[in-house]
Amino acid sequence: MPRYDFRTPRLYLDAPLDGGRRLPLDPMQTHYLRNVLRLKGGDPVLVFNGREGEWRATLADGGKRALSLAIGERARAQTPPLDLDYLFAPLKQARLDYMVQKAVEMGAARLQPVLTRHTQVARVNLERMRANTIEAAEQCGILTLPEIAPPLGLTRVLAARDPARLLVFCDEDAEVRDPVAALTAGRAPAPPAPMRLAVLVGPEGGFAEDERVALLKAPNVVRLALGPRILRADTAAVAALALVAAVLGDWR
């Protein structure tokens, strides 16, 4: 596992990063660093923008009630993310916050809310989702923020998907109860490189029968059970992403 500097605070900045630049911080970032973390001028901070790696910076006063960052040298080069789409039926807000954060930690590169027959929440706060992706990336040493797509119906998602991308959909009614066996059936147990992947977790009410039929008719699809217990959707997200990363992704 790469050695990350978890002791130095990390901050996401949506700005170009180059050695020698001085970047102002917005009021929320200033409040967080000064009043929550109790940092002062001269303290080190790590910054990233999702494109140019991670950079060492030094906190500096930027005027009355303001702070800025003096950018130094690059600490880590940008690395490509796992080519993993996470598709999910929206949840109520607190559980959606948790699920989004965990999906980022597990390596999701794209987040796609999917509206199904039994979806209980139809509206999604995309700005709040983005804030949760930033928080998770800042806390966990992640360099790339996932793309966030607006909600789409399952029919449109299936019509637009690339059939070359393996779609793993979680279904408690799957016939193969062993999830590892389901993921490795018909392919080499350990592909030489991480695959292009998509993971779909439905709503707590499960998929409607016609939705299940449509998924099973689609090409390059794996139906995955997640063990002998019924999991809540946010728990299923972590379990499914961990299984896929371990068997077909970049955990190997």
Side-chain angles (χ1 to χ4, degrees), residues 22 26 46 69 75 127 131 144 158 166 176 180 201 218 221 235:
R22 189 173 179 126
D26 65 36
L46 293 170
L69 286 175
E127 288 300 319
T144 304
L158 290 178
L166 178 67
V176 179
V180 174
V201 172
V221 168
T235 309

Side-chain angles (χ1 to χ4, degrees), residues 26-40:
D26 65 36
M28 290 185 62
Q29 293 168 329
T30 296
H31 169 76
Y32 173 69
L33 294 176
R34 174 179 280 163
N35 301 323
V36 178
L37 297 184
R38 302 291 183 183
L39 300 184
K40 57 186 182 301

Side-chain angles (χ1 to χ4, degrees), residues 136-198:
E138 287 177 340
Q139 293 180 354
C140 296
I142 294 167
L143 294 176
T144 304
L145 295 182
E147 300 173 17
I148 299 175
L152 290 176
L154 179 60
T155 300
R156 290 184 62 187
V157 169
L158 290 178
R161 71 176 284 256
D162 179 358
R165 179 183 299 275
L166 178 67
L167 173 61
V168 179
F169 87 96
C170 300
D171 185 3
E172 64 274 11
D173 291 336
E175 294 178 1
V176 179
R177 307 306 297 176
D178 181 347
V180 174
L183 290 172
T184 57
R187 60 179 55 87
M195 302 176 62
R196 298 177 61 215
L197 301 164

